[in-house]
Amino acid sequence: MAEARRGLRIALFGPPGVGKGTQAAEIVKRTGVALVSTGNMLREAMREDTPLGRKVCSVVDRGDLVPDDLVGELVATRLGRDEARRGFLLDGYPRTVAQALFLDAFLEARGEALDAVVNLDVPEAEILDRLTGRRVCGECGATYHALNNRPRVEGRCDACGEALAQRPDDAPNTVTERLRVYAERTAPVLDHFRAAGLLVRVDGTGAVAEVLERIARAVPGILG
């Protein structure tokens, strides 16, 4: 992994299915900054089947958002670690105006601020195809697609051979609800960051490398 770029603090933004996680992994690999993924933290809580995990699971299965105070606590703890103080990339946070205000205040108290918020833009029809066709290995987390990235053996992970499944929140009805919730509760966060002069729009369609190149052009210095 690359040496962390001191002070690089960015957030990837956009509705479910635009490729935030994929691009976040590529950027972190090249910059060495800490990845702060609320999705990863919440899925870990669900896998552990703790009281918190079961509560999170019931919310996610409905296609709703996890309460702001709970997510804020998780993010604050993660950003408080030493590696995050050297730079970080937020994936999946903030998702509401209240979360954005919490993040602003948290960073300001440490004398820090975001450098940029990258909004990945993908047509809704493509998002629906991406998510409803996604299949995930429950053992190693490898991701496939029923049409565009099929495993060598139908229903089995290429990496570990375990069964693939559709995540409950990728079912068609749930995806539609997730996008509705995003439009209602998350899209207004764009106005918050636009007013702060932090928002940059990037076309999220096409190959991973193409989208990464667009991000690099939109945020000078992000990849060197």
Side-chain angles (χ1 to χ4, degrees):
M1 178 175 290
E3 182 180 354
R5 308 278 177 80
R6 184 173 296 275
L8 177 63
R9 304 178 186 92
I10 60 177
L12 286 183
F13 207 80
V18 297
K20 295 187 297 295
T22 299
Q23 293 301 324
E26 290 296 321
I27 293 170
V28 166
K29 181 169 65 177
R30 287 165 170 75
T31 63
V33 299
L35 174 61
V36 181
S37 169
T38 54
N40 288 347
M41 288 188 286
L42 293 172
R43 282 190 287 272
E44 181 179 346
M46 289 188 286
R47 284 196 301 270
E48 292 176 350
D49 196 32
T50 61
L52 171 60
R54 288 190 289 273
K55 181 177 179 181
V56 169
C57 188
S58 67
V59 174
V60 171
D61 286 348
R62 293 197 306 270
D64 206 346
L65 296 178
V66 179
D68 291 337
D69 56 349
L70 173 58
V71 181
E73 182 177 350
L74 289 171
V75 171
T77 299
R78 182 71 176 87
L79 291 179
R81 297 178 183 174
D82 288 342
E83 62 268 26
R85 288 183 174 272
R86 296 191 295 270
F88 59 79
L89 184 149
L90 293 167
D91 171 18
Y93 188 88
R95 290 190 175 183
T96 68
V97 173
Q99 291 178 8
L101 293 173
F102 173 86
L103 178 64
D104 289 345
F106 178 84
L107 294 177
E108 183 178 3
R110 302 201 313 184
E112 300 173 355
L114 287 175
D115 296 309
V117 175
V118 177
N119 181 45
L120 295 177
D121 190 14
V122 175
E124 183 170 320
E126 182 169 338
I127 291 174
L128 286 169
D129 286 343
R130 288 184 183 186
L131 292 182
T132 58
R134 182 164 59 181
R135 300 295 183 266
V136 180
C137 176
E139 179 65 26
C140 71
T143 301
Y144 302 85
H145 193 276
L147 297 176
N148 303 324
N149 182 29
R150 302 178 66 175
R152 290 191 296 269
V153 177
E154 186 68 25
R156 291 289 171 179
C157 177
D158 291 347
C160 67
E162 293 298 317
L164 303 178
Q166 183 180 61
R167 284 179 7 195
D169 54 331
D170 284 342
N173 289 344
T174 305
V175 170
T176 299
E177 176 64 9
R178 291 169 70 192
L179 293 177
R180 185 197 67 79
V181 169
Y182 173 83
E184 179 181 298
R185 299 176 60 182
T186 309
V189 182
L190 293 172
D191 293 332
H192 174 82
F193 289 120
R194 185 180 293 109
L198 294 173
L199 187 67
V200 292
R201 177 195 171 278
V202 172
D203 180 0
T205 62
V208 172
E210 293 173 340
V211 178
L212 183 62
E213 183 178 349
R214 293 181 198 131
I215 294 173
R217 290 199 301 265
V219 186
I222 190 173
L223 298 180

